[in-house]
Amino acid sequence: MKGNSPHCTQTTLFQSLEELLNPDDPLYKLSNKLPWEELEKEFSPLYSKIGRPSKPVRLMVSLLLLKQIYNLGDETVVSAWVHNPYWQYFSGFTTFQWNFPIEPTDLVHFRKRIGKEGLEKIFKVSIDLHGKSSLEKEVVIDTTVQEKNITYPTDVKLHKKIIDKCVKIAQSENITQRQSYKRISKQLVIDQRGNRSKNGKAKAKKSAKKLKTIAGRLTRELRRKLSEELFSKYEEDIKLFEQVLAQKKGDKNKIYSLHEPKVYCMSKGKAHKRFEFGSKVSITLTKNSGVAVGAYNFEENIYDGYTLPEVLEQTKRLTGKEPKVAIVDRGYRGKSKVGETEIINPKRPKKNATPYEKSKARKRFRRRAGIEPIIGHLKQDFRLSRNYLKGTNGDMANVLLSATAYNLKKWMNREAKKLTLFIYYKISSIFQLKQKLNFTKNYISTF
């Protein structure tokens, strides 16, 4: 059942947060600017009319936004919320709270409840906040990798995990194994660590082969000894184990993680990081104002040019306007038009091109390069560098929330800059007035 809003019209003997806090603070202004009632109306149908009341929608949405804006986890944002009165005011409370607002796992359930559509609605609110700046005719598009929170995959690590999981399943279902290989598998992992040294290479190769043999042996034993009812329970896990054991070096669609099987490998040509394991993400920004108007996660590692139809369709859905021009890099070669949008990428100018056309193209592609540092900010400041949310739904959720946090922070920085400029002009005007008075005083004293 949907919970009630924390707004309270009843006055208290003490001052409310609205009276205590600084009204010029950017987060304070943002809390009064966002359309909370609209979001509550959007998410109300997702709740039942009977049962235990849930936490307020504004509280849940605000915690999601605060987590992403300040680069925190589910647990840390909940614990920090208790100590910050601005965060509590942003969440809709009028008096200071001493207790934790929710359990951290409630954020997981809320993300699943609203789904991709709900997260896009929150993203749309952050776009609308910028007004006409988000409705430019030209946009800049680029792709990047959102790495998943997995260890660097190797065959040895995967085979060791299969052994451990097989033993765990057998113990939980009281299945007697011929041998668990616990101590042997641990020693084999230690032995293969010398695979780069001259003397340990043969030993490491032998231990890696033995680990694979043991993993296959335990998987087959589970398949034989599990009853039909239990086999249906663990069927997906056993098929996953068998797929990992069957895959070879040059295979496509390989499994790189047992708990995140949808992860794929990408090589973006970076000198410091040859391979990245996660999912491909496309970011769309307005050309001049730099507002994020699109953020899309792809479940497959497809060519950049093939990502444009879904990306531009999302931008049109969120802004209500289809871009006339999309500026991209050379990774999108082969696409010149998608729908009504013209696709422009760097190439040699035509022989009959005028100096004006050359200058215009040069400015466009210099502006396109500006998306690279913004992607860097999304990764470093707004949790896009490593995704801790589970599954493909978690990938899309993290991308949309990162772009939302970027838009909100951009608006907050603009408001803070306005305040700084206002104070500067006030001080300078007072200083100029004082100089004029001193000049007048000195001028009169000469007579």
Side-chain angles (χ1 to χ4, degrees):
M1 189 174 97
K2 187 175 78 70
N4 294 324
S5 175
H7 290 291
C8 183
T9 55
Q10 184 179 355
T11 56
T12 62
L13 296 172
F14 309 101
Q15 284 183 305
S16 65
L17 288 176
E18 190 174 3
E19 297 170 329
L20 287 170
L21 302 180
N22 179 15
D24 292 325
D25 185 83
L27 190 62
Y28 185 100
K29 290 182 177 180
L30 182 63
S31 64
N32 295 328
K33 188 76 175 177
L34 291 177
W36 298 109
E37 292 180 2
E38 183 182 324
L39 287 173
E40 191 158 344
K41 193 180 294 183
E42 289 282 354
F43 298 142
S44 293
L46 302 175
Y47 292 87
S48 173
K49 294 183 179 180
I50 57 174
R52 181 181 175 184
S54 68
K55 297 294 182 180
V57 170
R58 177 170 177 175
L59 172 63
M60 302 305 297
V61 173
S62 63
L63 284 170
L64 283 181
L65 297 177
L66 290 168
K67 172 198 167 180
Q68 218 76 20
I69 291 171
Y70 296 101
N71 196 4
L72 301 171
D74 288 349
E75 293 85 2
T76 47
V77 72
V78 170
S79 60
W81 186 90
V82 182
H83 304 286
N84 198 318
Y86 285 95
W87 289 16
Q88 295 187 14
Y89 181 75
F90 184 72
S91 302
F93 287 87
T94 55
T95 56
F96 192 74
Q97 306 296 309
W98 293 355
N99 300 321
F100 286 170
I102 59 168
E103 289 294 325
T105 51
D106 289 342
L107 289 174
V108 180
H109 301 314
F110 186 71
R111 280 192 294 264
K112 288 180 180 179
R113 184 187 292 272
I114 62 177
K116 176 190 168 184
E117 292 78 14
L119 292 165
E120 278 197 348
K121 287 172 184 174
I122 298 173
F123 182 34
K124 188 179 186 306
V125 166
S126 74
I127 295 170
D128 295 341
L129 198 65
H130 291 270
K132 292 182 180 178
S133 301
S134 62
L135 300 175
E136 292 181 17
K137 294 179 181 179
E138 297 187 10
V139 295
V140 180
I141 303 174
D142 198 11
T143 59
T144 186
V145 179
Q146 177 183 217
E147 290 189 86
K148 203 72 171 179
N149 187 35
I150 63 169
T151 183
Y152 191 87
T154 62
D155 289 339
V156 170
K157 288 179 184 178
L158 287 170
H159 297 157
K160 178 66 169 66
K161 285 181 180 179
I162 289 173
I163 293 168
D164 294 340
K165 282 183 175 290
C166 286
V167 172
K168 188 176 180 181
I169 291 171
Q171 288 176 350
S172 64
E173 302 299 341
N174 296 322
I175 294 172
T176 305
Q177 290 180 301
R178 184 180 174 186
Q179 190 176 347
S180 66
Y181 298 99
K182 274 190 174 182
R183 285 179 293 176
I184 295 173
S185 62
K186 186 178 179 181
Q187 186 59 45
L188 289 172
V189 171
I190 295 169
D191 291 343
Q192 66 83 39
R193 290 176 184 170
N195 60 351
R196 293 192 180 184
S197 64
K198 184 179 178 181
N199 298 326
K201 196 169 185 179
K203 188 178 181 181
K205 188 177 180 181
K206 188 177 178 181
S207 63
K209 187 178 179 181
K210 186 70 182 294
L211 267 174
K212 185 177 181 180
T213 304
I214 293 170
R217 190 179 296 164
L218 291 177
T219 304
R220 290 190 297 271
E221 187 181 27
L222 269 184
R223 184 178 271 277
R224 286 196 312 271
K225 293 186 176 181
L226 284 172
S227 63
E228 290 186 8
E229 185 180 349
L230 290 175
F231 181 76
S232 61
K233 181 181 177 182
Y234 297 106
E235 186 177 3
E236 289 184 8
D237 292 332
I238 292 172
K239 285 183 177 179
L240 188 65
F241 300 161
E242 290 172 345
Q243 188 177 345
V244 170
L245 292 167
Q247 66 190 15
K248 296 178 182 178
K249 186 177 181 180
D251 291 350
K252 293 183 178 179
N253 301 322
K254 293 176 72 175
I255 304 295
Y256 295 101
S257 173
L258 294 181
H259 72 280
E260 289 291 349
K262 295 292 184 181
V263 163
Y264 46 88
C265 176
M266 279 164 287
S267 178
K268 300 288 277 187
K270 298 177 183 177
H272 66 285
K273 194 182 287 186
R274 188 177 175 186
F275 299 110
E276 294 174 288
F277 300 91
S279 58
K280 179 174 280 191
V281 166
S282 178
I283 303 295
T284 308
L285 303 177
T286 53
K287 191 186 84 169
N288 297 319
S289 59
V291 178
V293 292
Y296 202 91
N297 182 82
F298 296 91
E299 295 184 15
E300 296 179 0
N301 185 15
I302 58 176
Y303 170 60
D304 285 358
Y306 299 151
T307 65
L308 288 171
E310 291 175 316
V311 169
L312 292 171
E313 194 276 328
Q314 186 200 41
T315 303
K316 183 181 178 181
R317 186 169 65 248
L318 293 172
T319 60
K321 187 177 180 182
E322 190 172 8
K324 288 190 175 181
V325 176
I327 309 166
V328 297
D329 60 15
R330 288 186 176 90
Y332 291 82
R333 280 177 296 192
K335 292 286 183 181
S336 59
K337 197 167 187 181
V338 176
E340 298 298 321
T341 305
E342 182 186 1
I343 310 300
I344 301 175
N345 54 22
K347 53 190 173 185
R348 292 195 176 195
K350 295 178 182 179
K351 290 183 180 180
N352 58 351
T354 62
Y356 170 74
E357 289 174 339
K358 291 179 182 178
S359 174
K360 188 177 181 181
R362 193 179 298 113
K363 286 179 181 178
R364 272 176 167 169
F365 298 128
R366 282 179 177 174
R367 183 62 194 93
R368 191 224 67 82
I371 196 174
E372 302 293 349
I374 290 174
I375 288 174
H377 282 299
L378 285 169
K379 289 193 171 187
Q380 290 297 113
D381 302 332
F382 303 111
R383 300 183 70 79
L384 193 62
S385 60
R386 185 167 287 267
N387 179 23
Y388 296 89
L389 307 182
K390 188 170 176 61
T392 54
N393 293 331
D395 294 337
M396 182 60 83
N398 194 57
V399 172
L400 288 169
L401 288 171
S402 296
T404 303
Y406 165 77
N407 283 342
L408 296 180
K409 189 69 176 177
K410 187 178 182 68
W411 187 88
M412 290 165 65
N413 290 342
R414 191 178 67 192
E415 291 298 312
K417 191 175 180 180
K418 281 182 183 177
L419 178 63
T420 306
L421 289 172
F422 175 76
I423 294 170
Y424 170 77
Y425 287 130
K426 280 288 184 184
I427 292 172
S428 61
S429 61
I430 292 169
F431 182 73
Q432 288 173 4
L433 180 63
K434 189 176 180 181
Q435 281 186 324
K436 287 179 181 178
L437 289 172
N438 289 335
F439 175 77
T440 307
K441 187 179 179 181
N442 294 333
Y443 181 77
I444 294 170
S445 62
T446 56
F447 292 97

